[in-house]
């Protein structure tokens, strides 16, 4: 976590540990902290404070707009499972194809959007390969073909890279998760445009104006705001710094090995993402070697079992199955240094070369 987020959170786990729904003075103090965090978050996300709904995670935010949608729901095949699974489980859920970069195919999206479509959900940034969606183009299609639909974007991976004030006017709802920008895990936000009805996924005490019941995670909310504020203030400089480091990482590896494929062109993706496919290796074996050398990486998205499953994102992009088996996803962020990158280059190059030498 970002130190500012830890510092912001600690008092609400200790001496300011009150429930903001109460009426005594300590409750009012907690309430004020939630309100201030809401104001700060709203400004950074480009929405009104009343449009911010606190949730328990990005998955809950995504599920909330999709699970009880009263009509057709549509999403692209490269979405995170937090979107994909509810769409697949919906009685009128439609999954549409993507192009070779993982970007939704606009013709197929247009065909899937009918006048009775309730929700279209298209992610702002892909979590696995880093592709940035052209949300203006998506919005143009959806507004024309399904004017009554709610347009939602899973912006969980966007906060570090995109100015959300430019994203907000294009869509009706956005999902966020604190742990993607140095805030706490288990703390999410769903924004919902004023006047747009989204039935609650969780009902009970009526918090968040009946949109999401449950006692507020005050410490998490305050820390979410602090981490988001620092992310927003440093975004432009970090984007530039990390573009340089990502290029050094990918170029360093590619210069020393043959058979390396950059999955998505760099000008189509965020700075913090390096996604490569190596010919002739199994990524499970590579991840083992990297882990032994203290380089922590993943192949697809992190899933609960830790089991390696073929990537649905690479399948949607049409990446050949054997090449997808050699996929490696390296992420860079606010704590990444040039020394980290140099070490990662050495370890990845050694690991791939070793596996190729010893392959049966
Ligand atoms: N959406 C995307 C694009 C993600 O990358 C993630 C997490 O990796 C989620 C949703 C789920 O967020 P959370 O872990 O907060 O439930």
């Amino acid at each position: 976590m970002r130190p500012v987020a830890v510092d912001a959170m600690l008092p609400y786990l200790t001496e300011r540990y009150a429930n903001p729904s109460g009426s005594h003075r300590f409750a009012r103090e907690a309430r004020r902290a939630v309100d201030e965090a809401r104001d700060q978050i709203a400004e950074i996300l480009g929405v009104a404070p009343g449009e911010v709904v606190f949730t328990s995670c990005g998955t809950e935010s995504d599920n909330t707009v999709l699970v009880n949608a009263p009509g057709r729901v549509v999403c692209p095949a490269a979405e995170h499972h937090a979107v994909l699974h509810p769409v697949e489980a919906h009685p009128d859920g439609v999954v549409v194809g993507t192009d070779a970069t993982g970007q939704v195919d606009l013709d197929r999206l247009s065909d899937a959007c009918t006048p009775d479509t309730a929700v279209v959900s298209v992610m702002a940034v892909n979590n696995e390969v880093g592709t940035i969606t052209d949300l203006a183009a998506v919005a143009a299609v959806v507004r024309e073909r399904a004017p009554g639909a709610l347009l939602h974007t899973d912006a969980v991976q966007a906060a570090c890279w995109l100015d959300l004030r430019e994203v907000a006017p294009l869509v009706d709802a956005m999902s966020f998760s604190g742990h993607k920008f140095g805030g706490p895990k288990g703390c999410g936000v769903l924004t919902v445009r004023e006047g747009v009805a989204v039935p609650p996924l969780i009902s009970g005490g009526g918090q968040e104006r009946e949109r999401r019941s449950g006692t507020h995670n005050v410490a998490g909310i305050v820390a979410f705001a602090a981490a988001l504020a620092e992310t927003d203030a440093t975004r432009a400089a970090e984007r530039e710094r990390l573009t340089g480091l990502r290029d050094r990482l990918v170029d360093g590896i590619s210069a020393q090995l043959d058979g390396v494929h950059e999955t998505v062109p760099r000008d189509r993706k965020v700075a913090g993402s390096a996604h490569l496919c190596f010919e002739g290796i199994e990524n499970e074996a590579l991840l083992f070697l990297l882990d032994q050398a203290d380089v922590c990486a993943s192949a697809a998205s992190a899933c609960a079992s830790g089991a390696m499953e073929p990537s649905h994102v690479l399948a949607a992009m049409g990446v050949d199955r054997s090449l997808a088996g050699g996929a490696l996803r390296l992420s860079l962020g606010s704590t990444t240094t040039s020394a980290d990158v140099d070490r990662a280059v050495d370890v990845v190059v050694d690991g791939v070369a070793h596996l190729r030498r010893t392959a049966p």
Side-chain angles (χ1 to χ4, degrees), residues 222-277:
V222 167
F224 183 114
L228 187 63
E230 188 172 87
T231 301
D232 185 54
T234 55
R235 190 186 289 114
E238 278 295 89
R239 216 161 32 198
E240 200 176 320
R241 184 180 79 87
L242 291 168
T243 298
L245 287 185
R246 190 269 316 276
D247 291 352
R248 177 162 155 176
L249 174 65
V250 174
D251 292 341
I253 293 169
S254 305
Q256 298 180 65
L257 293 169
D258 295 327
V260 181
H261 300 258
E262 274 187 74
T263 320
V264 172
R266 293 179 207 180
D267 61 354
R268 303 286 297 275
K269 59 186 284 172
V270 295
S273 163
H275 193 284
L276 301 169
C277 291

Side-chain angles (χ1 to χ4, degrees), residues 30-351:
R31 180 93 210 159
R32 200 160 39 245
V34 171
D35 288 345
E36 283 170 12
R38 191 189 306 279
D39 289 348
Q40 194 175 17
I41 291 165
E43 192 281 313
I44 296 168
L45 302 185
V47 300
E51 296 175 324
V52 172
V53 181
F54 291 114
T55 66
S56 68
C57 58
T59 301
E60 185 194 324
S61 300
D62 288 343
N63 274 236
T64 301
V65 289
L66 291 161
V67 168
N68 295 319
R72 170 170 286 200
V73 295
V74 180
C75 81
E79 291 291 309
H80 190 277
H81 286 136
V83 167
L84 198 53
H85 285 172
V87 170
E88 286 169 346
H90 194 279
D92 192 9
V94 179
V95 177
V96 299
T98 76
D99 68 12
T101 69
Q103 177 101 236
V104 62
D105 182 317
L106 292 176
D107 291 333
R108 293 192 200 177
L109 182 66
S110 174
D111 291 344
C113 286
T114 50
D116 67 337
T117 299
V119 179
V120 178
S121 185
V122 182
M123 70 201 321
V125 173
N126 184 276
N127 53 300
E128 208 174 301
V129 293
T131 303
I132 303 169
T133 296
D134 181 352
L135 278 174
V138 167
V141 168
V142 174
R143 301 308 186 200
E144 188 196 328
R145 299 278 301 165
L150 177 155
L151 176 56
H152 166 254
T153 189
D154 175 337
V156 165
Q157 293 284 343
C160 289
W161 316 111
L162 306 185
D163 186 343
L164 301 153
R165 300 172 188 88
E166 293 168 11
V167 175
L170 300 171
V171 298
D172 304 306
M174 302 187 283
S175 295
F176 296 95
S177 175
H179 68 110
K180 299 303 178 185
F181 47 84
K185 295 175 185 64
C187 195
V189 157
L190 173 67
T191 68
V192 181
R193 187 187 294 288
E194 191 65 47
V196 173
V198 174
L201 188 65
I202 297 176
S203 58
Q207 287 90 345
E208 295 299 275
R209 287 169 39 204
E210 306 281 346
R211 294 169 299 180
R212 199 285 185 180
S213 288
T215 301
H216 288 97
N217 172 3
V218 181
I221 288 168
V222 167
F224 183 114
L228 187 63
E230 188 172 87
T231 301
D232 185 54
T234 55
R235 190 186 289 114
E238 278 295 89
R239 216 161 32 198
E240 200 176 320
R241 184 180 79 87
L242 291 168
T243 298
L245 287 185
R246 190 269 316 276
D247 291 352
R248 177 162 155 176
L249 174 65
V250 174
D251 292 341
I253 293 169
S254 305
Q256 298 180 65
L257 293 169
D258 295 327
V260 181
H261 300 258
E262 274 187 74
T263 320
V264 172
R266 293 179 207 180
D267 61 354
R268 303 286 297 275
K269 59 186 284 172
V270 295
S273 163
H275 193 284
L276 301 169
C277 291
F278 298 101
E279 290 173 16
I281 64 145
E282 287 294 335
N283 53 20
E284 206 162 346
L286 179 61
L287 289 179
F288 178 77
L289 293 179
L290 298 191
D291 189 48
Q292 280 193 319
D294 293 336
V295 172
C296 304
S298 60
S301 55
C303 72
S305 67
M308 302 286 292
E309 290 164 17
S311 157
H312 72 281
V313 175
L314 297 184
M317 291 163 59
V319 176
D320 177 76
R321 212 182 148 87
S322 66
L323 194 55
L328 180 68
R329 170 187 172 197
L330 297 163
S331 304
L332 302 87
S334 61
T335 60
T336 308
T337 64
S338 53
D340 294 337
V341 166
D342 292 343
R343 173 150 172 75
V345 169
D346 290 346
V347 171
V348 170
V349 168
D350 285 354

